Amino acid sequence: MASSSSFLLLAALLALVSWQATASDPSPLQDFCVADMNSPVRVNGFVCKNPMEVNADDFFKAANLDKPRVTNKVGSNVTLINVMQIAGLNTLGISITRIDYAPLGQNPPHTHPRATEILTVLEGTLYVGFVTSNQPAPNKNKFLSKLLNKGDVFVFPVGLIHFQFNPNPHKPAVAIAALSSQNPGAITIANAVFGSDPQISDDVLAKAFQVEKNTIDWLQAQFWENNHN
C-alpha cells in the first residue's frame, strides 16, 4: 500500500514537472536551430536550417535600436526583434523590443500570450501596471502599478494585461524589454475587441460592457492603429 502511494506521488510530481517544462517555448536539443524560413514543412516554430550552412549573419541584425522611432496616434512605437528578424532565435525562447513613447504617449493595455516581459527604462519616466486574472468571488482583478524612472526595471507576468504610460507632457521616454519567447505575440485589448475583422457582434459587446449598442458602434467605427512594428 505504501509503495503504491509512493508511486502515485512520484507520478504526480513527474506530471507537474513535465507540465511546467512545456508551459513555455521548448528547450533546444542542440546548440542552435536556425529557422529555415524557406522550408515547406510546418511545425510548432520553424524547421532547422542545415547547420553546415549556418553563419554569423543568422544571429545578427543591424536593428538600430539606439535610434528613436516615430510614434503613432496613441503615442508609442514598439520595435520587436523576434525570430522573424533573427532566424537564430528559433528554439532559444527569447526576443527583445525597443519602445518609444511620445510625451503623454502610451503602450496601451495588451497581453503577450506566450511570454513574460522584463522592461528597463532607458530615458524618461513611465507609469506601468498589470492586472491579475479573474479571481473567485468576492475577489476582483487586482491592479498593480508603479512609477518607473531611468534605470528602473519592472516585470509583467506572462499573459496578463499590462501597459506603459509616459506621464511627462514635455519629454519622450524610451524602454527596452526582453520577452521569454522567440515569438511572444501581442494582443492589444481595444484593437482586438473593437477592431477585429470581421467585427464582434455589437449585441455581444453591448451586453459585455453594459453600455448602449450605439456606443459600441461608435467604438467599432474608429481606426484602431497598431503600434507594433
Side-chain angles (χ1 to χ4, degrees):
M1 184 69 175
S3 61
S4 176
S5 298
S6 299
F7 174 78
L8 290 175
L9 177 60
L10 178 60
L13 289 173
L14 287 174
L16 179 61
V17 169
S18 64
W19 175 84
Q20 292 286 356
T22 58
S24 59
D25 285 11
S27 298
L29 300 177
Q30 57 276 319
D31 289 344
F32 50 77
C33 173
V34 173
D36 183 354
M37 301 298 186
N38 298 316
S39 173
V41 179
R42 295 290 176 261
V43 296
N44 185 22
F46 294 95
V47 173
C48 300
K49 182 178 179 179
N50 184 337
M52 300 303 294
E53 298 175 2
V54 169
N55 60 61
D57 285 339
D58 291 317
F59 302 90
F60 169 81
K61 181 177 178 64
N64 295 316
L65 290 187
D66 59 323
K67 302 292 193 300
R69 265 63 173 174
V70 176
T71 56
N72 67 359
K73 70 176 184 178
V74 297
S76 64
N77 187 309
V78 178
T79 305
L80 175 65
I81 307 299
N82 64 6
V83 68
M84 302 306 295
Q85 286 77 40
I86 300 180
L89 286 174
N90 191 40
T91 75
L92 298 185
I94 193 169
S95 55
I96 191 170
T97 184
R98 172 189 169 116
I99 313 167
D100 291 79
Y101 310 86
L104 299 180
Q106 65 171 297
N107 188 13
H110 62 283
T111 74
H112 300 295
R114 295 178 291 276
T116 291
E117 175 181 350
I118 182 167
L119 177 141
T120 302
V121 180
L122 299 184
E123 297 292 342
T125 301
L126 290 176
Y127 173 61
V128 307
F130 67 86
V131 181
T132 63
S133 58
N134 298 352
Q135 304 297 317
N139 297 318
K140 296 183 178 180
N141 303 83
K142 188 172 183 180
F143 175 51
L144 297 95
S145 64
K146 190 78 174 176
L147 187 66
L148 307 181
N149 296 305
K150 182 177 179 179
D152 288 346
V153 176
F154 197 83
V155 174
F156 303 104
V158 59
L160 298 186
I161 296 174
H162 61 283
F163 69 90
Q164 303 102 37
F165 171 70
N166 177 10
N168 193 312
H170 306 294
K171 295 182 179 180
V174 181
I176 288 283
L179 299 108
S180 62
S181 173
Q182 68 181 40
N183 185 25
I187 303 171
T188 305
I189 306 305
N191 298 42
V193 173
F194 299 113
S196 64
D197 184 16
Q199 291 182 340
I200 300 172
S201 165
D202 57 2
D203 289 312
V204 172
L205 294 181
K207 185 74 170 179
F209 286 94
Q210 300 178 44
V211 297
E212 298 295 327
K213 285 206 299 183
N214 59 1
T215 301
I216 298 299
D217 295 337
W218 182 86
L219 287 167
Q220 290 182 323
Q222 305 308 303
F223 176 65
W224 297 98
E225 188 172 359
N226 182 15
N227 67 335
H228 287 69
N229 295 321

